[in-house]
Amino acid sequence: MDTNYYSTEAVLAEYSKLQCIFKLNVPDLGYVDGGSEKDIKTGTKILLPYWLAPTLSLQEWVDITIPAPYTTRVKKALDADARNVKLSSLVGGTGTWYGFGKMIIDLLQEPESSELAKVLSNTFKSRLIDLMDQAQHFGGAATSLGTGNDGENGGGDFREGFEATERERDSVQRTKEWYGSSDRRKTAAQ
């Protein structure tokens, strides 16, 4: 994922929240938690936006909990068959599982960071063949995930689970194919 200022994926991933556990009492900021307490007490768990959590962690004010989409339970499901896991539903509305995972890697220490990097890489590799297959045969002929136009799903369940990075790669591939096809010329002539 590109982390530059103009990257939409980076902006969406930074909007994601991390559960943090405060290591100290913080006076007069209880409203941050949305509760009725005046102060944040030691041990309080609060969801903080990604852009704020690393700073507080470096100052040793909070401990960051690894988000649910990257826990052992999800890793086991991905190890079993990554193609059947709907990555888009793991991270909510942003749909940036890979992007947010990359940002989490930057926060973790070894060996957790390299372990998560391996999970992200292996997941992408195991889904890549089907991703390419869907880009080539979107809504058309038979694919390895379904049979296509004869009433079967034709890989629709897999497409629904596309994460933002996968959707982008799929749409780029389909756009390139359209641009090189005769359909583009027909559309332009109309």
Side-chain angles (χ1 to χ4, degrees), residues 68 70-77 115:
Y70 309 101
T71 59
T72 304
R73 181 175 166 233
V74 174
K75 289 176 189 176
K76 287 181 181 179
E115 181 182 323

Side-chain angles (χ1 to χ4, degrees), residues 106-126:
D106 294 340
L107 295 177
L108 298 175
Q109 303 293 321
E110 290 295 333
E112 291 90 7
S113 64
S114 59
E115 181 182 323
L116 182 54
K118 185 177 177 183
V119 168
L120 294 175
S121 177
N122 289 343
T123 299
F124 190 77
K125 287 176 187 175
S126 64

Side-chain angles (χ1 to χ4, degrees), residues 123-133 158 166 169:
T123 299
F124 190 77
K125 287 176 187 175
S126 64
R127 293 170 63 94
L128 184 60
I129 292 171
D130 291 323
L131 177 64
M132 291 172 56
D133 191 30
F158 182 66
E166 295 171 332
R169 294 185 191 294

Side-chain angles (χ1 to χ4, degrees), residues 20-30 32-33 37-46 48 53 55-64:
C20 298
I21 302 168
F22 274 81
K23 296 180 175 181
L24 49 91
N25 292 323
V26 182
D28 300 324
L29 284 178
V32 171
D33 190 20
E37 296 290 325
K38 183 180 180 210
D39 302 329
I40 298 175
K41 298 189 179 353
T42 302
T44 303
K45 294 179 182 180
I46 297 180
L48 295 174
T55 303
L56 296 179
S57 178
L58 288 173
Q59 297 296 322
E60 296 189 14
W61 293 356
V62 298
D63 281 329
I64 297 173

Side-chain angles (χ1 to χ4, degrees), residues 146-164:
T147 58
N149 290 331
D150 63 358
E152 292 291 323
N153 191 336
D157 287 340
F158 182 66
R159 279 192 305 274
E160 287 176 16
F162 277 4
E163 186 269 357

